[in-house]
């Protein structure tokens, strides 16, 4: 069973200044636009509406927005990982 | 052993509650109390449909999202076990990719994702603002009371889809007349069928024109796929019709239902009337999407392989129904879920579904609703219902929940 609960295992890192790495699997993307709404500075869409990354590293200031993007992505195409 | 199993199955058949369930009288904005009870009892349970079949009803948010995101769950209405709706009404045929599975679903969907990208939709905002302002001008200049559904809620998405598809201005009146008939619940099935056929024929003609003279619009994009041999003419027409049907009645009912709910919650309406903060308007729209629910018959699917979930096994060939309206009231996810609170963070709602079929038009729907709710109460601050809410007729039996008419005055 693939459970689409957001991965919050990095929460212990929050506030310690480590940037996190965003990963995007573009072939899973269904062009919902949800990540762009959640984190405009990190995600954009290409000419076909498929998500692209504007940056791969996110610091504390944008972590919340990217976590929201991970949570709302309907296609489980976004992950936040420790670099 | 076999006997015991058969016996147990029979018992379940005797006790499985019926779905859909009635809403409580006087609570047109809340899910049926029966759904709430089922949600309290557990994440999924068998229910009985109109044809006697017994699919699983999934009532909790986490399990709904998990199943809608699972590739073993099929949207193909021809699959064994697919939970069918009560009757085959116009527009509920097999309609392009919404009833297909990947990879064909993804191939077709990706052909039309471009114009729905967030920034492309944002570029349409001034056009939508002009449409909304124009309709409000007309209402203010006309007689009172006026039916907000007819004068405001229905024309907005129809005009916006005309813009998006690229329907020439001269054809807007014909287009609106027919789309109105397609969604009017008082129309006979024959009238609705005729209107749908006329629009389908019209769209086919427009597509054919663009094969020889492409323009900068969505119909030209679809025609280009026909020219490239990626779509047949029939598939192209069906796709254009899907975009029209999926975006029209849904948005119109969300506008009408949202306004009615706000008129019932004047403190919340006042927040919108007194603000020019786009963030608050955006947040309000997400909360209205969470709190109200128009696709009340649920996301319906057939399971193609056994799936273990919440301590149970859903077997291949069984149906599942994810009722997102009750998922959006799951107290495990939303605090005090039955309260309409425009300032809460409601972004994780499942009003647009979840998984690969999640609404393609959602950026457009959001933008339209933001323009509507950011404009209507500011321009008509004294807007009020012109009848008792108890006298408003809600669309309990329609595929898309909503309001038949909403008389308003100011
Ligand atoms: C507030 C308004 C709207 C609501 C609540 C809504 C809701 C939904 C839902 C729940 C689904 C998922 C169906 C499923 O999983 O079985 C869906 C799919 C879809 N919607 Fe919307 N919708 C709205 C507006 C629009 C608009 C404006 C358009 C386009 C103009 C649109 C186009 C579509 C399409 C094409 C699909 C099928 C996607 C697929 O199967 O991949 N919708 N919508
Ligand atoms: S939220 Fe997911 S599916 Fe939607 S555009 Fe972003 S990556 Fe694609």
């Amino acid at each position: 069973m693939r459970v689409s609960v957001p991965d919050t295992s990095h929460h212990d890192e929050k506030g310690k200044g480590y940037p996190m790495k965003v990963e995007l699997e573009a072939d899973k993307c269904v062009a919902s636009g949800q990540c762009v709404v959640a984190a405009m500075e990190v995600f954009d869409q290409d000419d076909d509406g498929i998500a692209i990354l504007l940056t791969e590293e996110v610091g504390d200031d944008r972590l919340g927005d990217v976590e929201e993007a991970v949570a709302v992505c309907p296609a489980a195409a976004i992950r936040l990982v420790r670099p | 052993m076999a006997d015991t199993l058969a016996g147990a199955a029979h018992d379940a058949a005797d006790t499985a509650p019926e779905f859909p369930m009635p809403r409580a009288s006087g609570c047109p904005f809340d899910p049926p109390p029966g759904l709430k009870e089922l949600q309290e009892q557990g994440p999924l349970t068998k229910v009985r449909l109109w044809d006697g079949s017994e699919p699983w009803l999934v009532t909790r948010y986490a399990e709904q999202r998990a199943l809608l995101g699972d590739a073993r769950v099929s949207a193909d209405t021809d699959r064994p076990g697919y939970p069918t709706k009560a009757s085959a009404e116009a527009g509920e045929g097999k309609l392009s990719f919404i009833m297909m599975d990947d990879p064909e679903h993804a191939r077709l969907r990706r052909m039309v994702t471009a114009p729905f990208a967030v920034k492309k939709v944002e570029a349409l905002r001034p056009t939508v603002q002009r449409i909304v302002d124009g309709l409000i001008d007309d209402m203010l200049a006309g007689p009172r009371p006026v039916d907000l559904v007819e004068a405001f809620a229905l024309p907005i998405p129809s005009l916006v889809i005309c813009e998006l598809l690229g329907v020439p201005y001269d054809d807007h009146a014909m287009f609106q007349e027919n789309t109105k008939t397609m969604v009017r619940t008082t129309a006979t099935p024959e009238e609705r069928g005729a209107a749908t056929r006329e629009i389908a024929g019209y769209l086919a003609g427009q597509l054919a024109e663009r094969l020889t003279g492409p323009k900068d619009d969505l119909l030209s994009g679809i025609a280009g796929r026909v020219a490239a041999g990626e779509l047949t003419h029939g598939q192209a027409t069906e796709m254009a019709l899907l975009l029209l049907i999926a975006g029209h009645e849904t948005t119109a009912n969300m506008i009408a239902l949202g306004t009615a709910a706000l008129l019932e919650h004047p403190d919340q309406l006042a927040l919108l009337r007194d603000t020019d903060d786009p963030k608050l308007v955006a947040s309000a729209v997400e909360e209205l999407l969470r709190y109200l629910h128009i696709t009340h018959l649920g996301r319906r699917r057939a399971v193609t392989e056994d799936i273990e979930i919440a301590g149970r096994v859903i077997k291949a060939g069984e149906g599942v129904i994810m009722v997102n309206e009750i998922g959006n009231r799951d107290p495990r996810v939303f605090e005090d879920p039955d309260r309409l609170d425009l300032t809460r963070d409601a972004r994780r709602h499942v009003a647009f579904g979840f998984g690969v079929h999640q609404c393609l038009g959602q950026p457009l729907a959001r933008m339209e609703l933001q323009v509507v709710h950011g404009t209507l109460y500011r321009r008509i601050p004294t807007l009020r219902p012109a009848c008792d809410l108890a006298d408003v007729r809600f669309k309990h039996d329609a595929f898309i929940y909503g309001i038949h008419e909403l008389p308003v005055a100011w």
Side-chain angles (χ1 to χ4, degrees):
Chain A
M1 182 75 244
R2 196 175 80 209
V3 181
S4 21
V5 169
D7 174 16
T8 49
S9 53
H10 55 273
H11 263 154
D12 49 340
E13 299 288 304
K14 205 171 176 177
K16 290 187 187 166
Y18 297 102
M20 298 285 292
K21 194 167 174 292
V22 200
E23 288 179 355
L24 174 71
E25 286 177 82
D27 55 334
K28 281 191 184 173
C29 174
V30 296
S32 72
Q34 297 252 53
C35 55
V36 182
V37 176
M40 195 68 98
E41 291 92 6
V42 179
F43 301 95
D44 200 352
Q45 286 166 286
D46 69 11
D47 284 345
D48 292 326
I50 304 304
I52 47 176
L53 283 176
L54 298 174
T55 171
E56 285 189 4
E57 282 200 348
V58 279
D60 277 351
D61 51 335
R62 286 179 189 151
L63 195 56
D65 290 348
V66 177
E67 281 172 345
E68 186 62 24
V70 172
V72 293
C73 174
I78 310 168
R79 289 200 313 155
L80 258 175
V81 293
R82 259 172 253 206
Chain B
M1 179 67 193
D3 277 347
T4 341
L5 274 182
H10 188 252
D11 280 347
D14 283 343
T15 54
E18 278 181 30
F19 182 82
M21 294 175 177
R23 287 172 203 267
S25 72
C27 304
F29 306 121
D30 288 324
L35 285 179
K36 202 139 201 103
E37 267 167 45
L38 291 181
Q39 186 185 61
E40 275 160 24
Q41 287 161 20
L44 59 161
T45 180
K46 287 261 175 121
V47 288
R48 186 169 9 186
L49 300 189
W50 65 285
D51 60 355
S53 65
E54 294 193 1
W56 294 93
L57 195 79
V58 187
T59 51
R60 288 190 192 165
Y61 177 92
E63 285 77 9
Q64 289 181 353
R65 294 217 320 177
L67 286 167
L68 285 168
D70 195 306
R72 295 167 294 182
V73 169
S74 165
D76 183 346
T77 47
D78 289 340
R79 290 260 183 190
Y82 186 93
T84 53
K85 291 172 190 158
S87 63
E89 280 190 36
E92 273 286 313
K94 242 189 140 104
L95 205 54
S96 196
F97 54 86
I98 197 166
M99 288 157 189
M100 292 178 188
D101 295 327
D102 285 351
E104 185 63 0
H105 161 266
R107 186 181 83 87
L108 296 179
R109 175 165 168 141
R110 282 203 173 193
M111 290 182 186
V112 284
T113 44
F116 295 102
V118 173
K119 287 181 183 161
K120 293 259 181 58
V121 164
E122 210 41 54
L124 270 178
R125 190 182 286 263
T127 308
V128 174
Q129 184 70 53
R130 203 163 51 230
I131 290 171
V132 168
D133 277 326
L135 291 167
I136 294 176
D137 290 341
D138 292 349
M139 284 202 300
L140 288 172
R144 284 171 260 178
V146 61
D147 174 17
L148 191 91
V149 175
E150 175 88 15
F152 190 68
L154 276 172
I156 292 170
S158 177
L159 291 168
V160 172
I161 291 166
C162 281
E163 286 291 334
L164 190 82
L165 290 173
V167 173
Y169 186 79
D170 286 349
D171 298 334
H172 282 193
M174 177 281 305
F175 200 83
Q176 263 197 282
E177 208 39 59
N178 281 302
T179 47
K180 222 183 271 172
T181 309
M182 282 162 69
V183 302
R184 209 178 57 225
T185 34
T186 51
T188 65
E190 290 74 29
E191 285 169 332
R192 253 178 287 164
T196 308
R197 275 192 303 280
E198 181 157 348
I199 286 284
Y202 174 78
L203 289 171
Q206 290 286 311
L207 283 165
E209 265 180 36
R210 280 163 181 73
L211 270 176
T212 47
K215 302 180 195 170
D216 184 21
D217 57 30
L218 181 51
L219 284 176
S220 300
I222 298 176
R225 303 292 179 161
V226 178
E230 295 169 28
L231 283 182
T232 64
H233 280 279
Q235 284 175 318
T237 307
E238 224 179 67
M239 206 183 259
L241 201 58
L242 167 63
L243 293 175
L244 162 65
I245 291 176
H248 187 223
E249 196 176 1
T250 46
T251 314
N253 279 306
M254 264 308 294
I255 293 171
L257 212 50
T259 306
L262 288 169
L263 289 170
E264 274 292 292
H265 294 81
D267 58 319
Q268 299 293 304
L269 188 144
L271 291 176
L272 284 169
R273 192 187 57 213
D274 302 337
T275 189
D276 52 10
D277 176 8
K279 281 214 177 83
L280 176 58
V281 176
S283 152
V285 165
E286 297 312 310
E287 172 66 348
L288 288 169
L289 284 161
R290 180 196 73 84
Y291 182 76
L292 300 168
H293 218 285
I294 54 163
T295 59
H296 60 152
L297 297 181
R299 319 282 88 251
R300 298 180 176 223
R301 300 290 192 267
V303 168
T304 60
E305 283 174 48
D306 291 6
I307 297 180
E308 226 184 292
I309 185 163
R312 296 179 183 265
V313 178
I314 304 180
K315 296 221 175 58
E318 287 189 318
V320 278
I321 303 179
M322 278 61 70
V323 198
N324 21 10
E325 87 174 298
I326 193 71
N328 280 339
R329 300 286 187 105
D330 189 337
R332 290 155 201 82
V333 183
F334 300 102
E335 214 183 301
D336 197 2
D338 296 322
R339 194 159 61 90
L340 176 68
D341 173 3
L342 300 187
T343 62
R344 81 161 82 216
D345 183 355
R347 289 178 294 175
R348 296 189 184 188
H349 66 72
V350 283
F352 291 120
F354 199 73
V356 297
H357 288 278
Q358 192 183 57
C359 184
L360 171 65
Q362 59 182 296
L364 181 62
R366 286 199 163 97
M367 187 268 279
E368 290 181 63
L369 293 172
Q370 287 166 8
V371 173
V372 162
H373 293 297
T375 308
L376 182 61
Y377 319 111
R378 277 158 54 95
R379 287 209 50 201
I380 316 184
T382 55
L383 188 76
R384 59 178 170 83
C387 75
D388 214 319
L389 185 71
D391 297 328
V392 171
R393 292 186 308 128
F394 289 84
K395 298 184 178 176
H396 294 287
D397 298 325
F399 278 120
I400 304 284
Y401 186 64
I403 298 185
H404 288 284
E405 59 272 310
L406 182 64
V408 293
W410 48 89

